Amino acid sequence: MTRVCEVNKMDGPIRVLQHVRILDSGGIEAFIFANLRAIDRDKVNFDFLVTRDKIEFYDEELERLGCRKIVLEYKHFSNNLLNPISQALAFYKFCKNNKKVYRVIHFQSIGANGFFDIVAAAMAGIPWRIAHSHIANDIKPGHKSNKKTAGEAREAFVKFRQAVIRQIVTRFSTTYFGCSKMACEWMFTKKANRQGKTIVVNNPIDVKKFEYSVESRETIRKKLGVEDKFVIGHVGRFVYSKNHMFLLETFAEVVKKNKDTVLVCVGEGKLRHEIENKIQELEIKDNVILYGETTEISKVYNAFDLFLFPSHYEGLGIVLVEAQANGLPVVAADTIPSEVNLTDNFEFMSLDEGKLKWAQRILDRRKEKRNFENAKKVYKAGYDIRDVSQFLQNTYIEMYNN
């Protein structure tokens, strides 16, 4: 792990800096590491810039794959408004000292403050700055499930803030990627989208790895003690956007009508304590398994009978692609970009329909079987890792040669 401002240039492959801030087991990290495993690392390899000095989910793998993790040190202030500026100043210094090493920086985590770092990289003379939108946070005003942004004042502020960010990110980036059309529209200007300057880069998976396995199903269901249960699955960090409260409330209604139902939640996050309290409040502790983080998520999907995903918002939702490749019936919120629907047993529902209608729809689909042809459909739709990783590898090389 490197903490200094200057990185010694190494002979060997092109080094692309992945600007990620953290390396949790989330969707952005899954996207990066899926591509990292698939590219020709003799030609291109990644280094990772983070902003916290701690052991993280992917540390062992990145070291094994020949990558470096760089912790950006900057002065922290009690006033949170100053911290993004302090971080950007430190990042500017880093870029000035290392622009011969990193001709390409891929900004994977932009958010409300990450745009400062894009500006810093531009001012420091980094020639290629890829802004990658992984989110389409277009929440409707007054949405029943959305207490955090309820109220006209809050809604107006969010829209104004994003309008400003959109202009800055488009102005100071050289390349515009998004995981969906909606994600591109959220992060980049209308002009950039209208002129075809934005590029949708599919969130890829190793389709073959996620194909259904009877052996894995039997092993994991036996391990969890759910051999004879109807198992509903959810995969996602324990954060607001994943809407775990609605997920649990809906599941509680399912349990009232079918006691032999189990919910398996794969993930971790800052809302774990609130989720545990909600499980106790709803009296569904015996029916919910908090699985935690895992490096074998492709095997865990086999244990599910239905995949439930009621997110407030997503850039695309890579786990939905994984679930479809596994053949699972899917019920997801219509807040998610429509292009994620790749198969015939995928269904969108509005969160406004409420937990009772969601629960009934789950019960209606209880006996629905997997579609074993779904993996082929996911592959043909362009979501296989081999296609996407080759595109990124070629893009990085062309940038370095230009």
Side-chain angles (χ1 to χ4, degrees), residues 232-353:
I232 298 171
H234 181 273
V235 179
R237 288 177 300 138
F238 293 176
V239 293
Y240 167 76
S241 63
K242 303 304 178 185
N243 204 6
H244 281 87
M245 298 306 156
F246 183 85
L247 172 73
L248 293 170
E249 289 172 0
T250 298
F251 178 70
E253 296 300 324
V254 174
V255 172
K256 287 178 183 178
K257 296 184 178 181
N258 190 327
K259 302 292 184 184
D260 290 330
T261 305
V262 172
L263 174 65
V264 177
C265 294
V266 181
E268 281 293 347
K270 59 185 178 181
L271 295 184
R272 185 183 178 97
H273 183 64
E274 288 89 334
I275 289 169
E276 289 174 337
N277 287 342
K278 189 69 172 180
I279 292 169
Q280 293 282 0
E281 175 192 323
L282 294 170
E283 299 180 348
I284 53 175
K285 183 179 179 181
D286 293 339
N287 298 79
V288 178
I289 297 172
L290 300 183
Y291 195 91
E293 295 176 323
T294 177
T295 58
E296 297 188 327
I297 186 60
S298 59
K299 295 181 180 179
V300 178
Y301 281 104
N302 296 290
F304 302 158
D305 297 304
L306 182 141
F307 194 76
L308 189 60
F309 204 63
S311 291
H312 286 301
Y313 51 83
E314 293 284 341
L316 182 83
I318 191 170
V319 296
L320 292 171
V321 179
E322 295 170 350
Q324 289 177 91
N326 192 258
L328 283 164
V330 175
V331 179
D334 64 0
T335 52
I336 300 166
S338 60
E339 56 255 57
V340 77
N341 182 356
L342 307 172
T343 57
D344 296 332
N345 54 349
F346 187 108
E347 178 179 5
F348 282 120
M349 289 187 69
S350 170
L351 293 173
D352 289 333
E353 293 186 62

Side-chain angles (χ1 to χ4, degrees), residues 86-128:
S86 176
Q87 177 182 308
L89 290 172
F91 187 59
Y92 169 80
K93 183 179 180 181
F94 173 87
C95 290
K96 286 289 284 186
N97 290 337
N98 295 286
K99 61 183 179 182
K100 291 183 179 179
V101 181
Y102 301 117
R103 290 177 54 79
V104 178
I105 299 181
H106 198 150
F107 291 88
Q108 302 277 5
S109 180
I110 301 171
N113 298 319
F115 67 91
F116 284 106
D117 287 0
I118 297 178
V119 176
M123 299 299 289
I126 300 297
W128 292 101

Side-chain angles (χ1 to χ4, degrees), residues 365-399:
R365 299 187 67 179
R366 183 175 181 274
K367 296 187 182 300
E368 188 173 333
K369 302 299 182 183
R370 272 180 170 78
N371 187 330
F372 299 110
E373 297 298 312
N374 279 1
K376 294 179 183 178
K377 294 178 181 178
V378 172
Y379 183 86
K380 288 180 180 179
Y383 283 86
D384 187 71
I385 185 60
R386 294 155 191 82
D387 296 332
V388 179
S389 63
Q390 189 63 54
F391 164 77
L392 286 177
Q393 178 177 305
N394 292 342
T395 298
Y396 293 144
I397 291 173
E398 286 174 11
M399 286 178 171

Side-chain angles (χ1 to χ4, degrees), residues 29-273:
E29 295 90 339
F31 168 84
I32 299 169
F33 275 83
N35 283 290
L36 175 59
R37 297 180 197 113
I39 62 173
D40 184 345
R41 292 188 298 280
D42 290 330
K43 295 180 179 178
V44 177
N45 210 338
F46 299 164
D47 291 335
F48 295 85
L49 186 124
V50 300
T51 56
R52 62 184 189 183
D53 188 2
K54 61 179 291 188
I55 297 173
E56 297 180 293
F57 186 77
Y58 283 102
D59 282 1
E60 290 186 8
E61 183 173 7
L62 72 86
E63 185 174 348
R64 187 173 70 251
L65 295 177
C67 308
R68 293 172 291 197
K69 178 179 172 181
I70 302 159
V71 180
L72 183 70
E73 294 184 330
Y74 63 96
K75 184 176 180 180
H76 291 261
F77 294 89
S78 56
N79 184 344
N80 288 332
L81 293 176
L82 296 176
N83 286 324
I85 298 173
S86 176
Q87 177 182 308
L89 290 172
F91 187 59
Y92 169 80
K93 183 179 180 181
F94 173 87
C95 290
K96 286 289 284 186
N97 290 337
N98 295 286
K99 61 183 179 182
K100 291 183 179 179
V101 181
Y102 301 117
R103 290 177 54 79
V104 178
I105 299 181
H106 198 150
F107 291 88
Q108 302 277 5
S109 180
I110 301 171
N113 298 319
F115 67 91
F116 284 106
D117 287 0
I118 297 178
V119 176
M123 299 299 289
I126 300 297
W128 292 101
R129 305 171 299 278
I130 304 171
H132 200 141
S133 177
H134 289 276
I135 195 167
N137 189 352
D138 191 11
I139 304 173
K140 298 175 183 178
H143 198 294
K144 293 179 181 178
S145 67
N146 180 18
K147 296 178 181 178
K148 286 189 75 172
T149 57
E152 293 181 2
R154 171 66 179 168
E155 195 67 34
F157 170 74
V158 171
K159 288 183 176 181
F160 173 76
R161 181 187 67 187
Q162 188 58 30
V164 173
I165 292 173
R166 194 176 288 124
Q167 293 292 330
I168 294 172
V169 170
T170 305
R171 168 67 180 81
F172 288 93
S173 303
T174 59
T175 310
Y176 317 128
F177 286 172
C179 62
S180 65
K181 181 181 177 183
M182 192 183 293
C184 288
E185 291 171 349
W186 176 253
M187 190 58 66
F188 308 116
T189 61
K190 289 182 179 179
K191 183 178 180 181
N193 280 284
R194 187 173 60 250
Q195 292 180 345
K197 294 181 179 180
T198 59
I199 301 170
V200 174
V201 180
N202 290 336
N203 282 352
I205 65 169
D206 187 338
V207 175
K208 190 171 182 61
K209 186 177 178 182
F210 283 89
E211 288 181 359
Y212 178 67
S213 165
V214 175
E215 182 181 353
S216 292
R217 177 178 175 84
E218 292 175 351
T219 300
I220 294 172
R221 286 175 75 97
K222 184 176 181 179
K223 171 186 170 183
L224 297 177
V226 296
E227 297 100 314
D228 58 345
K229 306 292 185 182
F230 174 58
V231 180
I232 298 171
H234 181 273
V235 179
R237 288 177 300 138
F238 293 176
V239 293
Y240 167 76
S241 63
K242 303 304 178 185
N243 204 6
H244 281 87
M245 298 306 156
F246 183 85
L247 172 73
L248 293 170
E249 289 172 0
T250 298
F251 178 70
E253 296 300 324
V254 174
V255 172
K256 287 178 183 178
K257 296 184 178 181
N258 190 327
K259 302 292 184 184
D260 290 330
T261 305
V262 172
L263 174 65
V264 177
C265 294
V266 181
E268 281 293 347
K270 59 185 178 181
L271 295 184
R272 185 183 178 97
H273 183 64

